Amino acid sequence: MVPEDQPHEPVPLALARLFAGLACPGRTTAALPPTLGGPLADLLAAFGIPVALAPCGARLALTVTGEAETTPASLTADWVTAPPWVRAAQAASTGAITVAIDGPAAAGKGTLARSLADALGLAYLDTGRLYRATGYSVLQAGGDPSDPAAAEQAARSLDTRVLADPALRSEAAGDAASRVAAIPAVRDALLAFQRQFARTPPDGAWGAVLDGRDIGSVVCPSAPVKLFVTASAETRAQRRFLELRDAGQDVIESRILQDMKARDARDSSRGIAPLVPAADAVVLDTSDLDRTEALAAAFALAGDRLRAAGSDVARASMSHTGAS
Ligand SMILES: Nc1ncnc2c1ncn2[C@@H]1O[C@H](COP(=O)(O)OP(=O)(O)OP(=O)(O)O)[C@@H](O)[C@H]1O
Ligand SMILES: Nc1ccn([C@@H]2O[C@H](COP(=O)(O)O)[C@@H](O)[C@H]2O)c(=O)n1
């Protein structure tokens, strides 16, 4: 049993512990906040792993209760990162699994994408950084991000090692990004890198989470999981204000709101790959959700889609091999 004073476990640790618990049903328990425990139990159930939920102080204790539907003969590290339906996906040659997360600025896409990627063992790409790096490079060279020739040249010569530069998070880089992002040749230049990342994620990951504006609609239209994360403009401006203020930047909230509305309008009205939910995306409004609640909701939505993808893939795999 988990002691009541044990701190919340990070989701990846809890998941690893529960997967490992398959070797010893009934003995392994992980404690999580209730908002995460329920959706995580659903997700495990989607993988065919039976768990029991019980209150444990302010937390929910999840215990693996029995054998998974497809328990491997011996539990291997490979199985932990590749649940059975992913293997079925590979067998059916459908390639890596992609989780697409789109939405307007500061809606919380990156926060959710990173947590989902960590918890599910997926690689993560913040595609906004590609556009930010392109716009920033034009600015650094003294150019105009709206100039198609300068922007295309910057996109085509982009060195992805600059993507970690903290300067890319400034509002100026965000504004320049949305200007270069409206130029078709820039989007064309950045498309191959994103698709390649989704198709063959780094470090042998079995899939990837990509966040941006057009992941579900253009970059990865066949992604099995598509979330469109949004929140009111005021909520998003306040979140970005707190983020930049805490990072030591001198910022004014009303100015951020004004700039964010202008950027949203530009992103939504451009002629190419505008910011719109893909037809099959699930919309998640996080205006009234804190980070933990938003993650719990995303887990539940992603779990539903993954389960559906798993059964589609399993069916495809069976018809592929002639099984019924
Ligand atoms: N549900 C939430 N409640 C409160 N703050 C949040 C929530 N989700 C994210 N945040 C905070 O809001 C800020 C913006 O979040 P994040 O960077 O994830 O958004 P984003 O959609 O990826 O933004 P961008 O499009 O600019 O890359 C961050 O400081 C993050 O910690
Ligand atoms: N797939 C994408 C991602 C981003 N953009 C543009 O880049 C700007 C900055 O993006 P952030 O996610 O870092 O805020 C954004 O305003 C878009 O103009 C894009 O077009 N497509």
Side-chain angles (χ1 to χ4, degrees):
M1 196 59 184
V2 180
E4 297 231 342
D5 58 354
Q6 182 179 308
H8 295 167
E9 286 185 273
V11 172
L13 183 62
L15 260 182
R17 182 192 295 283
L18 290 164
F19 277 123
L22 287 169
C24 203
R27 298 237 193 104
T28 307
T29 299
L32 290 158
T35 44
L36 283 186
L40 191 52
D42 287 347
L43 193 60
L44 290 165
F47 290 165
I49 299 171
V51 290
L53 275 177
C56 174
R59 300 182 296 280
L60 268 186
L62 272 77
T63 306
V64 178
T65 53
E67 296 206 335
E69 279 163 20
T70 41
T71 309
S74 63
L75 188 71
T76 62
D78 174 51
W79 194 86
V80 172
T81 52
W85 56 264
V86 175
R87 293 218 212 125
Q90 285 160 351
S93 304
T94 54
I97 292 288
T98 304
V99 175
I101 302 188
D102 292 304
K109 303 180 296 295
T111 304
L112 285 177
R114 252 185 301 274
S115 300
L116 283 173
D118 278 356
L120 297 172
L122 301 170
Y124 167 54
L125 179 65
D126 172 358
T127 66
R129 284 198 172 247
L130 298 169
Y131 292 92
R132 283 173 181 264
T134 303
Y136 188 66
S137 152
V138 176
L139 288 180
Q140 291 286 88
D144 173 3
S146 302
D147 170 10
E152 179 181 0
Q153 207 264 330
R156 298 219 180 267
S157 56
L158 188 69
D159 178 348
T160 52
R161 283 175 299 187
V162 305
L163 297 181
D165 184 347
L168 299 186
R169 289 310 305 165
S170 69
E171 285 300 279
D175 181 76
S178 85
R179 293 179 193 278
V180 298
I183 299 169
V186 168
R187 304 200 75 83
D188 180 58
L190 300 178
L191 188 59
F193 177 80
Q194 298 171 74
R195 287 195 171 148
Q196 178 70 15
F197 188 98
R199 252 195 313 264
T200 47
D203 304 322
W206 57 268
V209 184
L210 279 74
D211 82 52
R213 302 293 186 289
D214 61 339
I215 308 303
S217 53
V218 174
V219 179
C220 302
S222 56
V225 185
K226 295 183 186 177
L227 299 182
F228 189 87
V229 181
T230 188
S232 71
E234 288 70 21
T235 305
R236 293 186 285 117
Q238 189 193 37
R239 289 176 183 170
R240 184 51 37 90
F241 167 71
L242 295 175
E243 175 187 331
L244 296 176
R245 191 198 61 184
D246 292 350
Q249 292 191 31
D250 189 13
V251 279
I252 301 166
E253 191 171 336
S254 57
R255 182 71 198 274
I256 291 183
L257 176 60
Q258 192 186 336
D259 291 351
M260 194 170 268
K261 283 183 172 169
R263 182 142 71 96
D264 287 348
R266 200 179 303 130
D267 288 349
S268 305
S269 63
R270 67 187 175 212
I272 180 163
L275 168 67
V276 281
D280 52 350
V282 183
V283 178
L284 173 59
D285 189 329
T286 68
S287 302
D288 299 320
L289 304 179
D290 65 22
R291 289 179 189 77
T292 308
E293 290 166 337
L295 178 59
F299 255 121
L301 295 172
D304 281 351
R305 289 296 180 97
L306 286 173
R307 179 168 31 203
S311 40
D312 284 354
V313 160
R315 268 195 294 277
S317 161
M318 279 192 273
S319 63
H320 206 69
T321 57
S324 57

